[in-house]
Structure formats: structure tokens, C-alpha cells
Amino acid sequence: MALIHPLQSLISNSAGNLVFVVIKSSVLAFKCVDGQYSLVGRWTDDLASNETSKQSEDATTVKKLKDNEGQVVKKAESPAPGIAFSLQVRNLTLTHDESKLIACVDSDKSVVVFEIDEKDGANCLKLIKRQPFPKRPNAVTIAENGDKVLIADKFGDVHRISINQSEVVKSEEMEPILGHVSMLTGVTLAKNSQGQNFIITSDRDEHIKISHYPQCFIVDKWLFGHNEFVSSFCIPSWNPSWLFSAGGDDSIFAWNWEKGSKLSHFDFSDLIKPHLTKAHRGADRFQNEKKDVIECAVSRVLTCESIPFLAFFVEATKLLYVLEICPKSGALTLKQSIKFTHNIVSLSESHDEFCVTLDTSKSDDEEYVNFVEYDQETEDFMIDIAKSEAFNKALISSVKDDASVKADETDLYSLYGIISLKNMGNIIPDQL
Amino acid sequence: RAHSNPFSDHQLEYPSCPDDMDWSRLYPHFYDKENKKMTKEVTIADIGCGFGGLLIDLSPEFPDDLILGMEIRVQVTNYVEDRIIALRNNHAKKMAYQNINVLRGNAMKFIPNFFLKGQLSKMFFCFPDPHFKQRKHKARIITNTLLSEYAYVLKEGGVVYTITDVEDLHNWMVKHLEEHPLFERLSESWENEDKCVTIMRNATEEGKKVERKKGDKFIACFKRLPTPSIA
């Protein structure tokens, strides 16, 4: 059993010398000097630890499954594997000037804003704001040059709050600037070639919606093509009118969002098939007679900052796939697949370098984090072993005696929540 | 059943995009078999059409428009389907009621899957579920965020019609439509001259029920304003 709980999330600053990670309900900051990392900041969500016991009780309650007419058909075992009952800190986001770090906190459905004070060697994370929301925040983006933050929630609404003012807005006074009638999974701002601003939002009903910003009441278009929920999308900085998206479908989609056209898609179903395990077997209530329904979903898709590649991974697998993007047509081809020793939990990108965190919870390995860099000479992506080892070593030595980030089987924080977005909650096998 | 939760994942059928929608199934009379194209497109939508009274009364008034009712409740949709089939059969000689039909759908989630930008000229919201509880207000069919999607499918100058017997809901709908930058309320004199308002007041089953109970009916109509140009 590993010492430390798997890292649910990681983000680096652009210089690469500050790394922020989420372990259980703590945010930790590491600084790199001459290749050596040291812990320089931490914040723990105290509300989460108080809530954990209550939550685990809730998690054992039996969920009733209803059909379309509201009849209770069958009692499903609850929690289904991977459903996020535990309390999370998610969506680490840096402002563009990297002076502030933002995170979503499940315990009180709030967004926390930290000022990063590098001069304070003891703790560089200064909490300046904790803004609760009516519904759980699920995605974040920075707006107005870092003055505001846009929060997309699980109820389908997008709210805008200011970062710099520490006072909190009452949640009943909040008016959404935009909304879907569906859980939102992503939000980002984008500029078209005429310099007009747009807000792009994705949801668990296959929709990617593009509205003007800040005139969010003017919907420009939808990108149609997904047949399942959208879990993640990104816009490459080297071609801001393109967009790549993925989720419950078997493909990664490439779009020109400005024109509203699909450029291409990359079907990964044959690639991933040999790597799917019992964990991907669909829940009992969705099984067919042969019991061979397999469900998988892409957790994250991310482009490189300056080179035409993207990386993605399928939830609860060990493989990171890198696709090459044709800069003319947007066609996607497999560049490389990188197999890790454990399942990938999170993926991030900084300066053409990918970083994955791994689910080491069932082993003694200390490979919590792997940095994957692009080698200009071989033109391949490869694991930066020295950097990864340096980070993992610093991580272990600085928090190994810390109970709040310890791996503890009784409260293993949910690492696999994406597949539960699959839109089949009401398919009743004997009704098909 | 009077209610249906618009947030739950009903097993719905909807096209993946407007171009994938097969309208010929609903309006076979308006399908040009030779060119494999529809000769008309849907321009009037009755959102939450209930038992279809409005569709049936609108049909002869707008012979050149295709009129679609959307209803989330299965049995109600089936009933309206049967009703339209019967009407079409009974009026087969005159080819009447070919321009109306109904489909089961969740308009709040999937309206952009059915209609292109600016496709509709009229949208009706007749006696919608009032969702009285405060925390259920997002489930109301008129919210400031959903109005942006209705504005997307409505053409400039198109009209949103609302009618309800619940004054609180009426005030809510008026407030949100008035606050929305793409809608402007139409005057009472406009309402008095508009034939759709008359039909809406008298046609729907809900309307007749309110009539029998001598209840009030609150009406508000809004015009879709031109989309402002953005620098």
C-alpha cells in the first residue's frame, strides 16, 4: 500500500518551477530550484474532513432506480463504482499572470482563490476568497484579464465572480450569465479571427454551445456530432479557431468552432479495446444478457502549447495516447502511445510537456507523477525520468508523515467519476 | 400524469443535429419524393403542447406553415398522435391537418437539435408547469438562460406567446422576457388583434378547463428583437 494518496490533479506554472497538486482535500505547492523540488505551500479544506464521515454514510444508502413513468423498477447498488461521493478539490486553474490559483471545492460547493506569495517560503498559498455556490462548481475559466472567474456548475449554469474582491456574494443573489439544462463539464473563452469574444460550454447531453461574450444571451452556434456526453475540450493556442473534444464517444473530435464545422475525428475503440478491464464492465443494471457491455470514456484531452500534438487518456487505463494534428486539415493520426505502470488519474500540459498522475493506491510504487517531454532530436514524447523521480522524491519526503494526505483505504477519494456521466440512467434493460 | 422532470434522462429520441431530422415522417404531405426534400419546414412550435388543442385550431389558420407540438409526457404524446391521425383520416379528401404533428421531446434540453438558427416564427408556451417551489424555478420553461436558446431558433420579428392561469408564473415569465435583451413585449392592442392570441385563449384543453372554473388567464406576447451587432 502506497504511503500517499494518488494525486487527483496537478498543474504547473509556465516557467515550470511551481507545481500545484491536489491530494485528498489538500492543495500543495512545490517549488523547483536546480532540479530539486521542495514543499512551499499547502492548504487543507477543513470542511472536507468534517464532512467525510457523513458522506460515507450517505454513500451506503440505496439509490432507487426509476423508469420514465416514475415506477421503481429495481434497486441499484449504490454507490456505483466511481461515482464521486467523496469530497474533492478540483480544477486547479492559474490566472494568466500566475499570481493567483483557483480551485473548486466540493465540501461546501465553493470556489477558493489563493494569492501565490512566493516570498513566503513557509506557505505561499494565501486564501483570499472562498465563494460558495448554489450548485457544485464543475469547471472554471479566467475572464477579464484575470479580474473575473467563470464557474460552470453541475446544474447547468455559468456564474461570474470577481477574483480580487474578497467579499462573498450571497448565492441567492447570483444570476447565471448563461445556462444549459444539463450538467456542465467545461467552460472556456475564445476569440475568433475578427477579434470577437466567445464563451464555449460543454455538457453531459452531447452539446458544445458557443455564445458571444460578454453578450452571453446571443447564442452563436452549437457543435453537433457527439453522441455521448462531452467531458473535456481544448483550444490550441497555435490555432485558436480549432477545438478538440472528447467524452463518452469512441472518438476524439476536431472542429473549426468558428465555422461550426467538424474537421475530423479519431476513432480509438480498436486501440483501447485490449486495455479495457473488468473495471470497464457496465453496471449490472445496464448489462445485456451476455453481460459483455463495456463502457469507457475519455477523461481529458489536451493540446500542446506550440507543437501540433494532443494527448488524451481513457478513464481507468494506463495508456496515454498522443495524436498528431495535421496543421492544414485538422486530421488526427496516432503519434505514440505511452504505457504507465498504473492507471492514469489526471493529465495536464505546460510548455509542450505533459504531466500525468497515477493511481498508485494498490502498490508500493512511488510513481505518483510522470512528466512526459517532447524530445526535439528523436521527435518523440518520452518520460522525463530524472524530473519525475525528483518530484516524487520531494513529494514523499515532505508529506509522508502527514495524515491528511495518507493513502487510507477507508476513504479513498474518488478517482474515476467520468463514466458515471454516461447518459443512460434511465435505460431499463427489460424495457428495451 | 401532470408533471415530468425536465432534468432526468428520459429515453428520448432526438436528431444529432437539425440536418439529421427526418421531417417527412411527421409531414408526409409536404415531402417531395422526387427531390427527396421537404417542401416546407417547421416554423411554428408549441412547446409543451399537451393534448394538442392549439395545434388543431392553428392548422387551418396557417395552411402554409408546418406546426410542431413538443410534449415530454409519453401517453399525452401518443394521444395527440392518434388524434392527428384520426383528423387526417376524417378529412382525407380535403387533405386537412397535414401541417401539424407532435413529437415526444425535451424542448428545454434539445430544441437546438431540431431547429436551425432563426427557423421559427412563432413559439407557444401554453399553461406550462408552474413549478411553484423556489428551488424548482430552474425547471420552469421560461428562464433567462433558456430564453437565449429560444431567441436562437426564433427569427428576428418572431413571437413568443405565453398564457397561464397562475399569476405568479405569469409575472415570472414577463419579468424574465422583459429582462432579456432579445425580447420586447407586444402591446395589449397587438394582442387583441392577433388571431393566435384568440386561438390560444380558447383552444387549449387547459384553457377550456380554466374557462369552466371561471379562472383568470394571463397572456403575454414578446417579439424577438434583431440581434445587436457586436464590434
Side-chain angles (χ1 to χ4, degrees), chain A residues 65-68 73 228 285-287 295 423-432, chain B residues 9-12:
Chain A
L65 186 70
K66 291 181 179 180
D67 68 8
N68 286 339
V73 266
E228 287 288 347
R285 61 184 191 276
F286 304 133
Q287 277 301 338
E295 296 289 355
N423 195 354
M424 53 193 309
N426 266 46
I427 294 182
I428 311 301
D430 47 291
Q431 285 200 344
L432 290 173
Chain B
D9 307 318
H10 300 277
Q11 217 180 328
L12 296 169

Side-chain angles (χ1 to χ4, degrees), chain A residues 68-70 155-157 175-182 196 204-207 209 212 215-222 224-225 227 423-428 432, chain B residues 1 6-11 14 16-18 74-75 104 106 108-110 112-113 117 135 138 144-146 148-149 151-152 175-176 180-182 227-228 230-231:
Chain A
N68 286 339
E69 311 317 316
F155 209 31
D157 287 330
E175 277 287 334
I177 58 166
L178 175 121
H180 296 213
V181 181
S182 179
Q196 293 177 318
R204 62 165 288 195
D205 284 309
E206 308 109 46
H207 288 133
K209 178 158 102 171
H212 284 268
Q215 303 88 345
C216 305
F217 55 88
I218 306 171
V219 180
D220 179 54
K221 61 171 81 71
W222 275 264
F224 288 113
N227 292 311
N423 195 354
M424 53 193 309
N426 266 46
I427 294 182
I428 311 301
L432 290 173
Chain B
R1 214 156 78 89
F7 294 103
S8 64
D9 307 318
H10 300 277
Q11 217 180 328
Y14 48 87
S16 61
C17 64
V74 188
Q75 290 94 333
R104 176 162 186 250
N106 182 339
M108 292 169 69
K109 276 179 186 270
F110 298 114
N113 291 59
K117 197 177 201 167
R135 63 178 187 87
K138 194 184 154 80
N144 63 348
T145 56
L146 269 173
S148 302
E149 304 204 356
Y152 171 90
K175 174 180 178 281
H176 285 84
H180 198 283
L182 296 180
T227 306
I230 292 161

Side-chain angles (χ1 to χ4, degrees), chain A residues 141-200:
Chain A
T141 198
I142 307 290
E144 270 91 339
N145 288 323
D147 245 13
K148 304 263 162 125
V149 56
L150 307 181
I151 311 290
D153 71 24
K154 292 212 166 188
F155 209 31
D157 287 330
V158 179
H159 293 278
R160 174 171 43 208
I161 60 161
S162 90
I163 297 180
N164 296 314
Q165 284 147 7
S166 57
E167 67 260 38
V168 164
V169 184
K170 281 189 195 140
S171 63
E172 56 271 22
E173 282 167 17
M174 270 184 210
E175 277 287 334
I177 58 166
L178 175 121
H180 296 213
V181 181
S182 179
M183 181 199 285
L184 290 175
T185 55
V187 60
T188 198
L189 292 175
K191 231 186 230 317
N192 71 2
S193 39
Q194 279 93 56
Q196 293 177 318
N197 291 304
F198 292 85
I199 176 168
I200 306 180

Side-chain angles (χ1 to χ4, degrees), chain A residues 36-106:
Chain A
Q36 298 303 310
Y37 289 87
S38 56
L39 183 70
V40 290
R42 69 169 306 153
W43 175 81
T44 299
D45 178 21
D46 298 325
L47 286 174
S49 41
N50 299 336
E51 293 271 326
T52 318
S53 50
K54 195 189 100 202
Q55 285 285 320
S56 52
E57 262 170 47
D58 288 352
T60 55
T61 55
V62 174
K63 190 180 166 196
K64 285 175 186 167
L65 186 70
K66 291 181 179 180
D67 68 8
N68 286 339
E69 311 317 316
Q71 300 297 311
V72 177
V73 266
K74 201 173 155 190
K75 281 179 179 174
E77 280 173 36
S78 190
I83 289 184
F85 277 97
S86 57
L87 298 160
Q88 294 271 22
V89 177
R90 59 177 99 219
N91 300 311
L92 291 180
T93 308
L94 282 165
T95 52
H96 304 310
D97 66 358
E98 300 185 337
S99 67
K100 292 183 189 73
L101 178 74
I102 291 143
C104 300
V105 179
D106 285 355

Side-chain angles (χ1 to χ4, degrees), chain A residues 239-253:
Chain A
N239 188 345
S241 27
W242 285 7
L243 182 151
F244 301 93
S245 62
D249 286 297
D250 282 343
S251 293
I252 307 293
F253 288 78

Side-chain angles (χ1 to χ4, degrees), chain B residues 16 30 32 40 43 56 73 80 89 103 106 108 118 132-133 147 166 180-181 184 187 196 202 222:
Chain B
S16 61
F30 294 87
D32 177 353
K40 297 258 182 237
T43 48
I56 290 159
R73 295 165 293 176
V80 180
N89 289 339
L103 62 80
N106 182 339
M108 292 169 69
F132 289 109
K133 288 178 192 156
L147 282 172
V166 180
H180 198 283
E184 183 182 80
S187 67
C196 292
N202 303 310
F222 286 79

